Amino acid sequence: MQFASMSVDQIQQGLKAGDFSAVEVAESSIARVQAADAAVHAFLEVTPELALEAARKVDQAIAAGNLSQCGPLAGVPVAFKDNMNLKGTHTTCSSRMLESYVSPYTATCVERVLQAGALPLGKLNMDEFAFGSTTESSAFGPTCNPWDLGRVPGGSSGGSAAAVAAGMATVTLGSDTGGSIRQPGSFCGVVAVKPTYGVVSRYGVVAFGSSLDQVGPFARNVRDAAVTLNALAGRDPLDCTSQNVTTDFTANLEQGVEGMRIGVVPEFMDAEGLSAEVKDKINEALGKLEAMGAQLVEVELPNVHSAISAYYVIAPCEAFSNLARFDSVRYGYCEPGHKDLGGQYENSRSGGFGEEARRRIMLGSYLLSAGVYEKYYYPAQQVRTLITRDYQRAYEKVDCILAPAAPRTAFKFGEISEPAEMYLSDMYTISINIAGNGGMSMPIGLGAETGMPVGAQLITPAFKDQNMLRVAAALEQVYGEAPVAPAFANGKVGE
Ligand code: GLN
C-alpha cells in the first residue's frame, strides 16, 4: 500500500479499521523514501528508528482502544525542513557550516506534530539557510521537481514541497520568510500554507529573518493542511512572538465561497514578468470562484511594488545578525590552518558558508553600518508600514485576496543564475511576509505552455487564516486534490 500517498483521514480510518498498523505505515513509508528519493533528493537524512518508535506508540494506543488519544496526526508519515531541530538528528540548514551539528533539543513546531502522533521520516533539503528560491544553493546538491526532474522544485523549502508531490510523505513542514513555502508549493503543485506571523512558534527553527519567518505545512489536500495547522498553532512561552491562537482551521472548509468578497489586485495581475500561462489559470480560478457565488472586488496595493526592495534590506540585516552565532567556536564548521582567533573566524566563515549566504551576510553588514543604516534600513521599515497599511485598507473591502503564487511555473536548472532575477521569483509572496498576513498556494492545474503546476495564492488578513483555507477548499472542489506527480504515482519512482 502507498501510505505516503494517502490523506490523513484515509490513514486514520485504515488504522481504526485495523486494515494496517502504524508500524506497517512507517516501514512502508521509509522504503518508499529510499526508493523514490534516489530521483528527487528531497531528504538529507532518513530516520527509520524514530518513525518506528512513534509508530509503535500509536499501535499500542490502538491496541488499548485509545486511537483518539493518539492525536489528529496519528500514524501520518511526515518530514521536516532541515532548519528545524529534531533531537538526535542533524540540523544542517543545507550548509557545510552545520554539516556535523546534531540537535540537542526539538523545535516546538516539530514537537507539536509529533505529539499529534505523526511518524517522522526525516529531514528535508532546502536552500542554504533558506536563502533562495530553487534549493540549488544547498551544499548537498539540489532537489528535483517530481513533475519534471530537469526543473527546480522552488525554494527554499524545495525538499518539503517535492517530498509531498512525489508521494514520499503525507505532510511536511517548511518555513517561509519571503515565499519559501508558497513558491515551492506552487512549483510542485501541492497545498502550501504560510500562516499569519505569530500563529506558529519559531522556537528551535534556525532563524533567518526573525520578523518575517513563519512555519507552515505542505499537504496534498486542504483538510490535511488545516489539521496540521491546528496541531501547530498556538502560544509557546519559548517564542514571545507566538500568539494564543485557538482557531479550528478545519471549521469552515465546507462553507463554500457564496457571499465572500475576493480581492483582485491590478498591481499583481498586470505586473511585468507574469507569464501568460499563469495569468490565464489565475483568471480561470477567479471565474470559478465567481461562479460559486463569490464577489470579485478590485483592490489597490499602491506600495506593494516596493516590497522586494524593502525585503532585500530587512531580510539580509536580520540574517546578518542571526548568522553571527555561527562563529566556529560555539557552533559550526571550523576550518583548520588559522593563526589566531580572527583568522579562525575568517577562514571558517568563508569556508563554511556558501556564496549566497556570504552575499547576504556582507549585504546585511553593510546595510547596518553607520551612515548607511539611516539611508536604507530606516526607509525600508517605513515602506514596511506603508505596505502593511495597504493590506489593512484592502481588507476593509475583501475577505481574501487571490493572486499568483509565482510569476511563472518551475524553471529548468541553471536557467536563472542572476541573483536579482532570482529575487523576482518571489514578487508575489514577499509583501505578505512584510505585512505579516497569512498566505497560501493552492494548486489549480497545469500551465498550458509548460505543463507544470500553477499555484493560486490566497492572502488573508492577519489571524484570519481560516478565510484562505475556506477559499482553498472551494477551489479544491473544482480542481480536485493535488495529485502525486505522474512519474511517482502508484508507487512509481520517477523513471
Ligand atoms: N527566496 C527568498 C529569499 O531568498 C525567500 C526565502 C525564504 O522565504 N526563506 O530570501
Side-chain angles (χ1 to χ4, degrees):
M1 242 187 272
Q2 288 302 319
F3 296 109
S5 307
M6 291 182 171
S7 69
V8 171
D9 267 357
Q10 284 170 330
I11 288 173
Q12 300 217 318
Q13 275 171 23
L15 288 172
K16 267 188 212 148
D19 297 343
F20 45 79
S21 70
V23 165
E24 277 174 74
V25 176
E27 280 170 349
S28 131
S29 303
I30 292 286
R32 167 72 184 157
V33 169
Q34 278 154 351
D37 204 40
V40 183
H41 191 234
F43 280 79
L44 293 181
E45 182 173 358
V46 185
T47 53
E49 309 76 28
L50 296 181
L52 280 170
E53 194 185 311
R56 277 186 217 107
K57 280 195 196 140
V58 172
D59 284 339
Q60 277 160 13
I62 295 173
N66 293 333
L67 180 62
S68 56
Q69 279 172 22
C70 298
L73 295 173
V76 174
V78 301
F80 306 104
K81 187 176 181 177
D82 206 30
N83 59 353
M84 298 169 184
N85 281 284
L86 168 57
K87 190 173 175 177
T89 67
H90 289 86
T91 298
T92 68
C93 291
S94 292
S95 179
R96 293 268 168 238
M97 184 50 94
L98 289 174
E99 192 169 5
S100 53
Y101 180 76
V102 178
S103 301
Y105 71 109
T106 298
T108 302
C109 58
V110 173
E111 187 68 47
R112 288 192 175 171
V113 165
L114 298 183
Q115 286 293 328
L119 315 180
L121 303 182
K123 306 294 285 294
L124 297 162
N125 202 11
M126 55 187 278
D127 279 295
E128 184 177 16
F129 283 103
F131 305 144
S133 308
T134 60
T135 72
E136 288 168 295
S137 71
S138 167
F140 310 116
T143 297
C144 302
N145 191 314
W147 287 83
D148 175 348
L149 297 170
R151 291 178 189 262
V152 302
S156 64
S157 314
S160 309
V164 171
M168 291 193 278
T170 297
V171 168
T172 59
L173 296 189
S175 66
D176 188 313
T177 307
S180 279
I181 291 177
R182 292 157 289 161
Q183 187 258 20
S186 120
F187 278 18
C188 292
V190 296
V191 180
V193 182
K194 183 212 89 78
T196 297
Y197 183 83
V199 168
V200 183
S201 165
R202 293 174 297 112
Y203 176 74
V205 182
V206 179
F208 163 5
S210 305
S211 77
L212 302 158
D213 298 343
Q214 191 62 196
V215 168
F218 291 85
R220 284 181 306 269
N221 68 59
V222 178
R223 176 162 293 275
D224 287 2
V227 168
T228 309
L229 197 53
N230 278 352
L232 287 170
R235 172 91 184 130
D236 172 16
L238 298 168
D239 173 5
C240 65
T241 64
S242 67
Q243 303 294 315
N244 183 23
V245 173
T246 53
T247 314
D248 175 3
F249 294 101
T250 63
N252 51 13
L253 298 184
E254 265 103 57
Q255 273 177 15
V257 288
E258 176 101 53
M260 272 187 105
R261 301 162 305 165
I262 309 288
V264 186
V265 184
E267 286 91 340
F268 284 156
M269 295 306 286
D270 302 332
E272 202 183 313
L274 176 58
S275 72
E277 59 172 352
V278 172
K279 191 170 178 169
D280 286 351
K281 289 301 284 179
I282 297 295
N283 280 327
E284 177 193 280
L286 285 167
K288 305 268 186 206
L289 290 172
E290 198 172 23
M292 286 186 273
Q295 186 193 344
L296 304 185
V297 182
E298 209 168 276
V299 286
E300 310 259 295
L301 297 172
N303 297 292
V304 86
H305 62 274
S306 303
I308 292 192
S309 315
Y311 174 86
Y312 278 100
V313 174
I314 296 167
C317 288
E318 294 188 9
F320 160 70
S321 151
N322 278 323
L323 266 54
R325 75 193 59 166
F326 305 112
D327 61 2
S328 76
V329 178
R330 287 171 302 171
Y331 290 97
Y333 170 78
C334 185
E335 183 138 318
H338 47 265
K339 289 202 205 70
D340 51 25
L341 186 61
Q344 177 177 336
Y345 288 153
E346 197 177 319
N347 292 354
S348 303
R349 284 173 66 88
S350 312
F353 288 128
E355 194 185 344
E356 184 62 23
R358 291 201 303 275
R359 182 180 295 117
R360 306 261 177 139
I361 290 168
M362 283 188 282
L363 188 58
S365 143
Y366 170 72
L367 289 166
L368 288 175
S369 58
V372 180
Y373 173 89
E374 292 79 1
K375 229 166 115 191
Y376 294 104
Y377 186 78
Y378 191 62
Q381 294 291 6
Q382 289 176 312
V383 168
R384 186 171 196 174
T385 304
L386 292 175
I387 291 172
T388 307
R389 284 192 195 141
D390 278 0
Y391 274 106
Q392 283 165 348
R393 263 193 288 272
Y395 290 127
E396 287 166 12
K397 296 193 204 136
V398 297
D399 307 300
C400 183
I401 290 171
L402 191 143
R408 47 179 295 192
T409 58
F411 34 88
K412 299 201 171 90
F413 281 106
E415 199 177 322
I416 299 186
S417 53
E418 260 303 300
E421 202 184 335
M422 186 74 83
Y423 296 169
L424 287 178
S425 68
D426 295 309
M427 62 192 255
Y428 289 115
T429 47
I430 272 178
S431 66
I432 289 91
N433 302 73
I434 294 274
N437 300 336
M440 67 181 285
S441 178
M442 183 64 203
I444 51 165
L446 308 179
E449 200 183 312
T450 57
M452 293 297 288
V454 175
Q457 186 182 196
L458 302 163
I459 316 164
T460 54
F463 301 105
K464 289 270 192 284
D465 303 74
Q466 61 274 28
N467 291 10
M468 67 187 177
L469 290 161
R470 178 175 162 192
V471 179
L475 286 173
E476 192 172 68
Q477 293 295 317
V478 180
Y479 291 99
E481 296 190 2
V484 169
F488 292 85
N490 307 317
K492 286 193 287 211
V493 292
E495 279 100 32

